[in-house]
Amino acid sequence: MGVLLSVWLCNRADGCPLSSSSAFTPLAVATSSRLAVTLTSFPVSPADSRSHWSSVHCSPHFLLSACKQGVTRSPVELSSDGVRAEMGVKSGLHVWELLWSPNHRGSHAVMGISRQSCPLQASGYNVLIGRDSQSWGWELKSNQLWHAGQSLGPYPGTKKRCHSEAVEDFRTQSSTSSHPKTAQTPLPIPERVLLVLDADAGTLGFVVDGSFLDVAFKDLPRGVELFPAVSSVRGGSSIRLRYLNGATRDPPALMALSGHSIRQILGQQRQTQMDKLPLPPCLQNYLLSTH
């Protein structure tokens, strides 16, 4: 059975090469098996309390929806406003989905994590999440990372280049050395972003268009409660939160790893062919039920 499955997958992988037009695909980095399985596992119920924004720990200029999964900022001038999730985590690997339309972000649109004492309202237009030592934020318009009131550089970083690309870049710079060097153009961030917090490793990263863009922050405090958080200065900004899945420190089960490998080889466009795999019905049902 294993030989038949391998042949079946290889034949279809060779005949259907995967491609992506996303600008983030070349910037993706390899994920751990623990994160890969978590990202492809069936999400928890949308009613999970970890999908709720806090009605207490938020700026008075944010209006909470009835289901507590959405917040909308009121049209208030000269104010930076934030909100954090109702529940935080102290351990484990966790993934949240944040939905924030690019047309309703404005300047200083930040998502990230905070500790319990992070300030969530300030005068003027500022980066609020990442403004102090209690929060870490990614400003979506400029792609800059912020912590303790300082910009830590762009995220995601540029793709590592091969030697020939580096030589060509050097020649280009040499021929135009009289011109000032231009800054890296920020990438437009789509509506859906996944926030990946590994409280065990003390790291925070993001997934965009299905690509994990590497660790954005490391050396986060361990053993303390950390909360997903956002801040905005634009009236009408609406942000939705949903907790997708999590994992303990233990390694993934062998069955989960096998299922992930099969889905990875099939690719997103061929997930509907799982029922054609040369596998017993019970295994086919498992693959379908966990996707």
Side-chain angles (χ1 to χ4, degrees):
M1 183 184 298
V3 174
L4 288 175
L5 178 59
S6 299
V7 172
W8 192 95
L9 291 172
C10 288
N11 287 341
R12 279 146 184 80
D14 293 339
C16 302
L18 300 177
S19 61
S20 175
S21 59
S22 172
F24 297 93
T25 302
L27 303 175
V29 301
T31 62
S32 65
S33 59
R34 183 164 165 251
L35 176 56
V37 170
T38 303
L39 289 173
T40 56
S41 298
F42 198 77
V44 302
S45 169
D48 190 287
S49 56
R50 288 168 292 186
S51 296
H52 295 168
W53 292 116
S54 174
S55 58
V56 176
H57 299 279
C58 67
S59 166
H61 300 145
F62 265 119
L63 303 177
L64 194 65
S65 66
C67 66
K68 303 180 73 173
Q69 293 181 356
V71 288
T72 303
R73 185 184 178 275
S74 301
V76 179
E77 295 184 354
L78 296 175
S79 179
S80 299
D81 303 288
V83 58
R84 67 165 173 80
E86 188 174 69
M87 292 185 61
V89 296
K90 292 184 178 181
S91 62
L93 173 68
H94 303 273
V95 180
W96 288 266
E97 174 191 70
L98 287 160
L99 299 179
W100 192 349
S101 171
N103 298 326
H104 298 94
R105 288 179 186 160
S107 64
H108 306 89
V110 193
M111 61 173 58
I113 60 169
S114 74
R115 297 183 65 171
Q116 197 163 18
S117 56
C118 169
L120 296 173
Q121 199 278 327
S123 299
Y125 298 138
N126 302 289
V127 168
L128 195 55
I129 303 302
R131 189 181 182 183
D132 67 353
S133 61
Q134 305 298 304
S135 59
W136 298 258
W138 182 28
E139 205 286 301
L140 302 180
K141 186 174 182 179
S142 64
N143 292 175
Q144 293 291 310
L145 297 175
W146 285 83
H147 176 58
Q150 295 184 340
S151 173
L152 306 180
Y155 175 88
T158 56
K159 178 185 177 183
K160 293 182 179 179
R161 300 168 299 169
C162 63
H163 176 71
S164 60
E165 290 175 322
V167 171
E168 182 63 28
D169 185 58
F170 174 77
R171 290 173 179 171
T172 302
Q173 289 184 14
S174 298
S175 63
T176 59
S177 57
S178 59
H179 300 284
K181 187 176 180 180
T182 57
Q184 179 182 337
T185 303
L187 291 170
I189 309 301
E191 178 180 27
R192 184 176 187 261
V193 177
L194 303 187
L195 185 151
V196 180
L197 173 61
D198 190 336
D200 298 325
T203 62
L204 173 66
F206 299 89
V207 175
V208 178
D209 284 347
S211 298
F212 179 60
L213 304 179
D214 207 350
V215 169
F217 296 98
K218 59 182 181 179
D219 299 326
L220 300 176
R222 305 185 192 185
V224 301
E225 205 165 11
L226 298 172
F227 304 81
V230 297
S231 66
S232 174
V233 300
R234 189 186 189 281
S237 285
S238 181
I239 309 109
R240 291 190 64 85
L241 175 72
R242 182 182 176 186
Y243 182 80
L244 295 182
N245 227 316
T248 64
R249 190 189 295 267
D250 299 328
L254 180 58
M255 183 174 287
L257 289 172
S258 301
H260 167 70
S261 297
I262 293 173
R263 286 189 292 268
Q264 189 176 40
I265 294 175
L266 282 174
Q268 189 64 36
Q269 297 177 350
R270 290 175 287 143
Q271 296 292 321
T272 56
Q273 298 184 24
M274 285 188 184
D275 60 335
K276 300 178 182 178
L277 291 172
L279 292 173
C282 60
L283 293 181
Q284 289 183 0
N285 292 336
Y286 169 76
L287 290 173
L288 292 169
S289 64
T290 56
H291 176 66

